[in-house]
């Protein structure tokens, strides 16, 4: 059993910055790729950024150059540092990972989400 808890969301003005964190707890089987997704009403949840256990990162084009994903495996935490925020970044942000005892039992784990609102 894995639980993911996000924090750090809030209200910020365009051009501002926010830092999100997500901490995993429970039964873990290793250090899997972790990711940040976001979702707004009427849209599908979209991948924002991901990071492998080795630190390799990937970003969506919409956030590239503005967001930075990082992780601390010892703390079981993944971070998302966001700068130059735009109104288009407004969404509920979710952290995500996949975990399982065996290949056949791998499943998705999601945090509860944290609201990021970018508004003047």
């Amino acid at each position: 059993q894995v639980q993911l808890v996000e924090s750090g969301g809030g209200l910020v003005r365009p051009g501002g910055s926010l830092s999100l964190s997500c901490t995993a707890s429970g039964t873990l089987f290793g250090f899997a790729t972790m990711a940040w997704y976001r979702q707004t009403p009427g849209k599908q949840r979209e991948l924002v950024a991901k990071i492998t256990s080795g630190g390799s990162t990937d970003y969506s084009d919409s956030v590239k150059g503005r967001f930075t994903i990082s992780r601390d495996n010892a703390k079981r935490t993944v971070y998302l540092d966001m700068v130059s925020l735009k109104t288009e970044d407004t969404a509920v942000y979710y952290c995500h990972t996949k975990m399982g005892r065996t290949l056949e039992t791998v499943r998705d784990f999601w945090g509860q989400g944290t609201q990021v609102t970018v508004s003047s």
Side-chain angles (χ1 to χ4, degrees):
Q1 186 180 21
V2 177
Q3 298 84 42
L4 303 176
V5 179
E6 305 101 332
S7 64
L11 174 65
V12 65
R13 287 175 287 279
S17 303
L18 278 177
S19 295
L20 309 181
S21 65
C22 171
T23 299
S25 63
T27 302
L28 305 178
F29 302 99
F31 299 107
T33 295
M34 299 191 75
W36 287 97
Y37 288 73
R38 66 187 181 187
Q39 187 170 27
T40 57
K43 291 186 176 181
Q44 289 190 233
R45 192 167 297 185
E46 65 172 334
L47 176 66
V48 176
K50 61 182 179 182
I51 183 168
T52 69
S53 62
S56 297
T57 59
D58 190 46
Y59 300 90
S60 70
D61 289 339
S62 63
V63 307
K64 198 170 298 182
R66 300 186 298 116
F67 291 11
T68 302
I69 188 171
S70 60
R71 66 190 294 164
D72 185 332
N73 289 335
K75 295 181 178 180
R76 298 177 179 176
T77 299
V78 62
Y79 306 91
L80 187 67
D81 295 319
M82 306 181 292
V83 301
S84 301
L85 283 161
K86 306 175 181 179
T87 57
E88 297 95 316
D89 297 317
T90 295
V92 177
Y93 284 70
Y94 299 88
C95 64
H96 166 270
T97 192
K98 290 186 176 181
M99 195 74 67
R101 186 182 71 257
T102 66
L103 179 63
E104 292 75 22
T105 58
V106 170
R107 56 154 289 185
D108 295 293
F109 292 92
W110 296 92
Q112 83 286 355
T114 186
Q115 176 71 48
V116 173
T117 302
V118 185
S119 179
S120 299

